[in-house]
Amino acid sequence: MKILTFDIGGTNIKYALSDENFNLSDKHTIPTDAKKGGQFIINKVIEIIESYENIDRVAISTAGQVDSVNGIVVYSTDNIPYYTGMMVKKIIENKTGIPTYVENDVNAAATGEAKFGAAVGTSDFICLTFGTGIGGAIYLNNKLYKGSSSSAGEFGHIITHAGGRSCTCGGEGCFEQYASATSLVKAVNKITGKELNGLEIFQEENFSNPEIRHVIDSWIDEIIIGLKSLINIFNPSLIVLGGGIMNEKYIIDLIDRKIYKQLMDSFGKVKIVNSKLGNQAGLLGVAYEASKI
């Protein structure tokens, strides 16, 4: 089986070919150009699909709340305008004739980690990804928990600062406005006057700057605030943290040093780990699901 698998994020679209054993090849990353809207993005995906031959399945992991049964984006914030209600599965199948599976990006990443990565052998865990926003997924009894309207796991929109910063969801004080990779970049750039990205912030010449280090440490404290709430709700044995910025060892080490001192003893057995699959988690997870349709 030849699966063309996509991961549509707020910044980049990743895509690759997967075989029946879920080995990825022909990997690419292109800008999402998210502000151009949902239809623009799906047209771009269709162009890529049509450049390949003999594809058996298309697998789409995407930002936004997704009804994976019908392949519809149930809701999307303004990170991708005009995406809410997009019938992704129907549009792609009508245009290409190829069976297509669509899933929320963090749900796909959680499936990838459950089947091939950091959560193999774990029946219950939660997953968070840190990027443009903060995404979440809940894995219970060896399957995704999606809620009554396919929208469970919107961890980025739990309120950590009542009456705080305005969010793209229309609310105020959401977790992702303080603890996403975007929020870190904004805070560092504000104090330095530079245009540093997440990777550059952790390069030694910047990371060794006491002002930048203070901003990083405060940002990690914001992550811990959200994690504590989720631990108190779910009492998980495992939390998997994904997103490119979470590859920085300093982050997970500081979380480990701080968070357990703030938890009740009964919650202290939770293990917090980085994604084992990195930015391939979503690609692999949605390819796995697409192989079953």
Side-chain angles (χ1 to χ4, degrees), residues 235-251:
N235 188 25
S237 62
L238 177 69
I239 299 176
V240 180
L241 305 182
I245 203 163
M246 285 300 161
N247 293 325
E248 300 293 339
K249 188 173 182 294
Y250 180 81
I251 299 171

Side-chain angles (χ1 to χ4, degrees), residues 123-126 138-145 234:
S123 61
D124 302 89
F125 67 96
I126 60 174
I138 305 161
Y139 215 82
L140 299 177
N141 298 319
N142 289 305
K143 64 180 182 179
L144 288 167
Y145 174 74
F234 292 104

Side-chain angles (χ1 to χ4, degrees), residues 256-274:
D256 267 346
R257 289 205 304 272
K258 286 188 170 185
I259 196 167
Y260 295 103
K261 299 173 184 176
Q262 302 178 36
L263 296 173
M264 291 179 279
D265 290 345
S266 50
F267 293 93
K269 292 183 179 180
V270 61
K271 187 176 181 182
I272 302 171
V273 301
N274 290 332

Side-chain angles (χ1 to χ4, degrees), residues 50-174:
E50 291 179 335
S51 71
Y52 286 82
E53 296 181 350
N54 303 317
I55 298 298
D56 297 300
R57 299 284 188 277
V58 171
I60 307 284
S61 159
T62 180
Q65 299 168 13
V66 175
D67 169 2
S68 58
V69 174
N70 297 300
I72 299 171
V73 177
V74 175
Y75 177 79
S76 174
T77 68
D78 287 341
N79 287 336
I80 302 181
Y82 316 114
Y83 205 31
T84 298
M86 185 74 66
M87 298 181 180
V88 178
K89 174 182 170 68
K90 182 178 180 180
I91 293 169
I92 292 175
E93 289 184 344
N94 285 349
K95 186 67 175 175
T96 68
I98 303 171
T100 298
Y101 183 83
V102 187
E103 180 58 278
N104 164 266
D105 53 358
V106 192
N107 283 346
T111 298
E113 296 293 343
K115 302 302 178 184
F116 312 109
V120 169
T122 304
S123 61
D124 302 89
F125 67 96
I126 60 174
C127 179
L128 295 91
T129 58
F130 294 78
T132 305
I134 296 175
I138 305 161
Y139 215 82
L140 299 177
N141 298 319
N142 289 305
K143 64 180 182 179
L144 288 167
Y145 174 74
K146 298 188 180 183
S148 62
S149 59
S150 304
S151 303
E154 280 288 355
F155 299 152
H157 299 289
I158 62 175
I159 305 301
T160 57
H161 294 264
R165 298 171 187 166
S166 297
C167 184
T168 55
C169 73
E172 295 178 340
C174 292

